[in-house]
Amino acid sequence: MANVPEIFGSMVFNDKTMKERLPKATYKALQKTIQNGEPLDINVANIVANAMKDWAIEKGCTHFTHWFQPMTGVTAEKHDSFINPTDDGNVIMEFSGKELIKGEPDASSFPSGGIRATFEARGYTAWDPTSYAFVKDGSLYIPTAFCSYTGEVLDKKTPLLRSMERISTEAVRVLKLFGKDDVTRVNTTVGPEQEYFLIDKELYNQRKDLIFTGRTLFGAKAPKGQELEDHYFGSIKPRVAAFMKDLDEELWKLGIFAKTKHNEVAPSQHELAPVFTTTNLATDHNELTMEVMQKVADKHGLVCLLHEKPFAGVNGSGKHNNWSISTNTGENLLDPGKEPYNNKQFLLFLAAVIKGVDEYQDLLRVSVASAGNDHRLGANEAPPAIISMFIGDELQAVLDSIEKGEPYEPSKKNKMQMGVDVLPDFMKDTTDRNRTSPFAFTGNKFEFRMLGSALNIACPNIMLNTIVAEELRQFADELEKADDFDSAVMELIKKTIKEHKRIIFNGNNYADEWVEEAARRGLLNLKTLPEAMKQYVAKKNIDLFEKHNIYTEKETLARCEIQLENYSKVINIEALTMLDMAKQDILPAVSAYVRELTETALAKKSLSSSITTKVEEDLVNDLSQKLQCFSNKIEELENALIVAADYEGDAQKCAEYYCNEVFAKMNELRAIGDDMETETASDFWPYPTYGDLLFSV
Ligand code: ADP
Ligand code: MG
C-alpha cells in the first residue's frame, strides 16, 4: 500500500524541496518573488534552475517544458532536452535561469482571435513562480503564462493572475475600513468537483463519434438508464475502484489534493473532488487532473470521457466551482459566523457578490459557454441558462429584515434532531442544500454549478474575481468617504439588497414557472453560445475588463471571436462525423439487413407459397421507407454545410447558422438513425449500443 504522506508531492518542486535544495539566500529571494510578486533576479534564477534540473534528473527526467494554457481549451507543451554539447563531442545536462524564466514557443499556431498576424509569430512564455514546477512522463514541467511579443495575452493564466491581484487590492481596501490593518493579501480559493464517464476502451475504439468528437452522435436509448437511481453513491465496481486508486496516487504525487470519489447519477459516471486551494493552483491542478484521468484510464483499458454530454438521454457531466475569498490572516470572508445578522463585514462581502452576479449575469453565462455545455444548460439535469443565486432561508430572512429596517429574530428551528441517541444533534446547515441553483451559497462559499466538465476553470474565475473586485472597488470608494462608517455600511448593504434582490431565487430552478418568473424579473436567459457571445462584447463588459487591466478591448473582442469560431468548428466536425457514419456505416448496414430479410422471405416462399412472410415484408417495407428518409436527411445536412461556408468571415453569424440550421439538421438525421437502430438486428448494427457502452465496465 502506498505511503500517502511520503508520495504526496513527491513529483513537485515544492516548498519543502526548495528548502532542502536551495541555498538559504536563494530560497529567501525566491519566496519574495512567490509571495510579493517581486521580479526574479537572473542570478537567483540560475541557481534555482540548476537545483531544479538536478532534482528532475534524479526523478528520471531528460527534458523540460514550459507548460501553458492557450485558448485552445487544452494545455500546451513543447519539450527541450537538458543536453548541451561540449567541445569534445560529448554532452552535459544544463538548465539556465533564462530557460527557466522565459520560453519562446512559436505562437502562430495557437488561436489569437486575429490579434497576431502570422508574420508576427513570436510569443513567449514566462514562469509563474506561484505554481510549482513538477515532473511528469520524464519531463520537468514549468507552469507558465503565454503572451505575444507585443504584450497581448494569449492564454488563460495571465488574466486569472491579474484578476486575483485586482480582487485582493480592493478587498484589502475594504478590510482596512473594518480595522483589519494586518491583512495585506486576499486570495480567492477554489475546489472544483469534476464529473466524468468511464467506458471500455475496446468499445470506444469502435465508435467514430466518440473518437472524433468525444460524444455519441447516434445511439438509441438503452432499456435501462438512470431511472432506478441505483448508481449515485452506489458501491464502486472493482475495475473502477482500481482506476480510482491509481488515479489518486498519481494525483497525490503531483501534489494535487484529491479527496472525494464516488459514483454519479448516470450509469458509468463518476466524480472526483479535491480539497480547495488558491484559484491559480486549483486551475493548474484541475487541468492536470483531467489529463491524468485520461492517462490512467488508458492503462486500465478504459476511456475517460470529459465531454459535457457524451450520451443523449442520460445526465451529462459538469464541474462545480466552489469559490470563496480568504485573507492572508486565515479569515474566510464568506463565512457568516454564528450571527450573520450582526456580521457587517460578511454582509458587505455578500452584498458585493450579489451585486456583481446581478450586474454581470451575462459574463458568468459567457464564462461557461461551449458547444458541449450547450447540451446541458437548461436540460433537467444541469442548472438552466438563467443565472440566479441561492442563499437559503436563514440568510434570506436576514436580508429581508435589513431591507425592511426591522430587527432580525434568529429562528429557533434550525437545530435538527437526528432522532437517534448515538448521533449528536447538529446545527442544520443554514444553507439547506439547493441542488438546482446555478450559483448557490453553501455555508462559507459559493458553488457555481454551470461549468461543463471539460472546461478550463480559469475563465469563470476570471469573471468572478473581476466582477467582485469591481463591486468592492465601488464600495470602498463610497465607504472611505463616509463620516459614520457603521451606518454607511448598513445603508450600503440595504441599498444593494433593494436594487439587486431580483437575482436571488431560493426555489426550484428546474421548474417551468421559474423561466417565466425570471423573464418578469428581467433576468437574462442566454440559451446558446452564440446568444451569450453577443453580450460578451457589450460596452459595460469591455469597460469592466479595461478598468481592471484584465483585457484590452482588442483582447475581449479576440476572445469572443475565438469562442465563436471554436463553436462553429466543433459543430462542423460533428456534422462531418455524422455524415461519415451515416453514409459509410449505417446506411450500408441497414441496407444489408433489408437484403437479408428479403432473401429470407424469398427463400420461405420458394419452400411453399403458404408460409407467411408478413414479418419480413413489413420490416422490409418499414426500413426501406426509413432508409429513404435517412438518405434525404443526409443530403439536407450536406447542403446545410455547403451554405455554412458562406458565413465565413463573420464569426457571430456563422456560429448562429451552425446553431440554428446545421445543428437542427443533425438532430433530424440522428432521430431516424436511432429509430432504425431499434429495428435492425444487432448483428448488423455497426456500433456498440448505448447498453454496451454504459453498462459494460
Ligand atoms: P458537495 O456537497 O457539493 O459535494 P462539499 O461540501 O463536499 O460539496 O465540498 C465541495 C468542494 O468545496 C470541495 O472541493 C471543497 O474543498 C470545496 N470547498 C470547501 N471550502 C471551500 C472554500 N472556502 N473555498 C473554496 N472551495 C471550498
Ligand atoms: Mg457540488
Side-chain angles (χ1 to χ4, degrees), residues 370-387:
S370 73
N373 212 21
D374 271 9
H375 296 289
R376 288 176 66 244
L377 298 179
N380 268 0
E381 51 171 275
I386 307 162
I387 305 270

Side-chain angles (χ1 to χ4, degrees), residues 10-81:
S10 59
M11 291 302 190
V12 186
F13 198 74
N14 55 17
D15 194 59
K16 181 166 158 265
T17 316
M18 287 185 201
K19 259 193 201 128
E20 279 166 16
R21 299 208 168 222
L22 295 175
K24 239 195 182 118
T26 312
Y27 173 79
K28 276 197 175 144
L30 185 57
Q31 284 306 309
K32 272 194 183 152
T33 299
I34 293 173
Q35 266 146 30
N36 311 333
E38 287 178 23
L40 194 61
D41 181 81
I42 187 69
N43 295 315
V44 175
N46 277 329
I47 302 171
V48 176
N50 197 53
M52 266 189 195
K53 176 209 69 187
D54 289 344
W55 171 81
I57 287 174
E58 285 167 29
K59 302 267 176 210
C61 287
T62 50
H63 288 67
F64 69 94
T65 178
H66 277 204
W67 183 66
F68 55 104
Q69 297 169 31
M71 290 176 298
T72 49
V74 289
T75 56
E77 49 196 68
K78 174 186 128 214
H79 300 255
D80 283 302
S81 70

Side-chain angles (χ1 to χ4, degrees), residues 193 271 320-322 433 435 442 447 449:
E193 302 164 61
E271 180 182 295
H320 291 175
N321 191 81
N322 294 276
R433 292 169 182 270
R435 291 282 167 198
T442 50
E447 185 167 345
R449 300 192 177 120

Side-chain angles (χ1 to χ4, degrees), residues 189-193 260 262 271 273-277 320 322-325 332 433 435 442 444-447 449:
T189 50
V190 166
E193 302 164 61
T260 312
H262 60 79
E271 180 182 295
V275 178
F276 69 96
T277 181
H320 291 175
N322 294 276
W323 176 91
S324 193
I325 330 173
N332 180 347
R433 292 169 182 270
R435 291 282 167 198
T442 50
N444 59 3
K445 61 187 191 291
F446 277 100
E447 185 167 345
R449 300 192 177 120

Side-chain angles (χ1 to χ4, degrees), residues 630-681:
F630 194 62
S631 167
N632 297 345
K633 291 294 168 195
I634 289 174
E635 205 181 319
E636 286 176 26
L637 180 55
E638 280 174 332
N639 288 336
L641 287 183
I642 293 169
V643 176
D646 294 347
Y647 292 93
E648 226 168 89
D650 187 336
Q652 178 70 41
K653 288 243 158 60
C654 186
E656 282 168 16
Y657 182 81
Y658 271 101
C659 178
N660 300 328
E661 306 298 327
V662 177
F663 192 63
K665 291 283 167 231
M666 285 164 59
N667 286 337
E668 289 171 19
L669 179 63
R670 176 179 184 148
I672 305 172
D674 292 357
D675 188 14
M676 292 197 300
E677 182 184 335
T678 63
E679 286 173 19
T680 302

